């Protein structure tokens, strides 16, 4: 048994392990020898590597299924609304993107001179919004994103998945 937070980390580890085994397959698939000489290699046999790769891929698929099921079947309460973890994760991502947008708008001046357009004409860029309002909005959205992420993390540590991680930890 592992908790959902550990499973998310393990998914990353399995992805790297698959990549390493594929690279090892490529290295072990060929050796260079002089004509008439027997190949000598310290590489592991392809069948052994392929067997390990098949097991890791199976574990990765199983873990994916368990994580996806947990993310659909478990909920967090955010601002009075019950959100499935999958929705909460997406909302946290969207909140962070909106924070960046608001921060960008908040850094602009309400009115600024635009240079380089004509000899006798002065042009201005005028914001059609209040930069301070966007700054305040960014602050609140960032707090919301942090709060939601904390709820997701806490939930991830409380959910147990039936997965044997002894091959990897």
């Amino acid at each position: 048994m592992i908790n959902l937070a550990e499973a998310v980390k393990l998914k990353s580890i399995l992805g790297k392990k698959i990549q390493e085994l594929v690279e090892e397959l490529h290295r072990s698939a060929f050796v260079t020898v002089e004509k008439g000489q027997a190949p000598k290699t310290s590489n592991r046999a392809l069948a052994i590597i392929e067997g390990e790769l098949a097991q890791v891929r199976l574990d990765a698929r199983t873990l994916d299924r368990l994580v996806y099921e947990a993310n659909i079947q478990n909920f967090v309460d955010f601002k009075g609304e019950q959100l499935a973890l999958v929705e909460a994760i997406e909302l946290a991502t969207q909140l962070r993107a909106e924070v960046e947008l608001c921060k960008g708008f908040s850094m602009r001046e309400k009115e600024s001179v635009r240079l380089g357009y004509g000899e006798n004409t002065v042009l201005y860029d005028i914001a059609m919004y209040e930069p301070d309002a966007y700054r305040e909005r960014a602050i609140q959205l960032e707090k919301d994103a942090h709060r939601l992420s904390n709820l997701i993390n806490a939930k991830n540590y409380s959910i147990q998945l039936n997965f044997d991680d002894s091959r990897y930890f």
Side-chain angles (χ1 to χ4, degrees), residues 96-138:
R96 286 186 195 95
E98 192 172 351
V99 165
E100 291 307 310
L101 179 70
C102 290
K103 282 182 177 181
F105 283 151
S106 74
M107 291 181 203
R108 298 291 304 263
E109 294 180 28
K110 180 69 177 167
E111 184 176 305
S112 60
V113 176
R114 181 178 275 205
L115 301 174
Y117 286 98
E119 296 173 16
N120 298 326
T121 306
V122 178
L123 298 176
Y124 293 88
D125 283 334
I126 300 174
M128 304 303 291
Y129 61 90
E130 292 300 323
D132 280 345
Y134 273 89
R135 185 182 61 75
E136 291 298 322
R137 186 169 156 198

Side-chain angles (χ1 to χ4, degrees), residues 11-73:
K11 280 180 55 168
S12 175
I13 290 168
L14 294 180
K16 289 176 185 172
K17 183 72 174 166
I18 289 169
Q19 185 178 4
E20 288 169 4
L21 289 168
V22 168
E23 289 171 5
E24 185 179 359
L25 270 174
H26 284 284
R27 285 191 312 272
S28 298
F30 299 94
V31 294
T32 303
V33 296
E34 223 178 285
K35 187 172 183 165
Q37 298 295 314
K40 293 179 185 174
T41 179
S42 61
N43 297 346
R44 296 188 304 152
L46 291 176
I48 292 171
I49 301 167
E50 288 171 341
E52 277 185 38
L53 181 58
Q55 181 62 57
V56 175
R57 283 179 169 161
L58 174 61
D59 287 345
R61 290 192 312 272
T62 301
L63 196 57
D64 270 351
R65 179 180 48 80
L66 293 171
V67 168
Y68 293 147
E69 287 172 355
N71 282 337
I72 291 169
Q73 296 170 356

